[in-house]
Amino acid sequence: MVTDPVCGRDVNPVETTVQSEHDGEVYYFCSINCREAFVENREEYLPGD
Ligand SMILES: [Zn+2]
């Protein structure tokens, strides 16, 4: 399981097709809505810097 960075839910990367690659890392989301929120405002959801 991985964590959806937008809503914090656990996501199974094998089951979800909603994903986004950023800076060499792949992020998985529970829904299209979470993916869109992430793409529009990455800085808010990424940990660190
Ligand atoms: Zn989500």
Side-chain angles (χ1 to χ4, degrees), residues 4-5 7-11 16 18 28-35:
D4 179 327
C7 69
R9 283 175 60 174
D10 287 336
V11 176
T16 186
V18 188
Y28 297 93
F29 305 91
C30 68
S31 69
I32 295 283
N33 287 343
C34 282
R35 183 184 182 279

Side-chain angles (χ1 to χ4, degrees), residues 4-25:
D4 179 327
V6 174
C7 69
R9 283 175 60 174
D10 287 336
V11 176
N12 186 339
V14 176
E15 290 180 359
T16 186
T17 58
V18 188
Q19 62 186 63
S20 175
E21 194 178 328
H22 174 67
D23 222 4
E25 288 232 40

Side-chain angles (χ1 to χ4, degrees), residues 5-6 20 22 29 33-47:
V6 174
S20 175
H22 174 67
F29 305 91
N33 287 343
C34 282
R35 183 184 182 279
E36 283 187 1
F38 179 81
V39 169
E40 285 174 10
N41 206 355
R42 283 193 182 91
E43 291 80 16
E44 188 171 321
Y45 300 112
L46 290 177

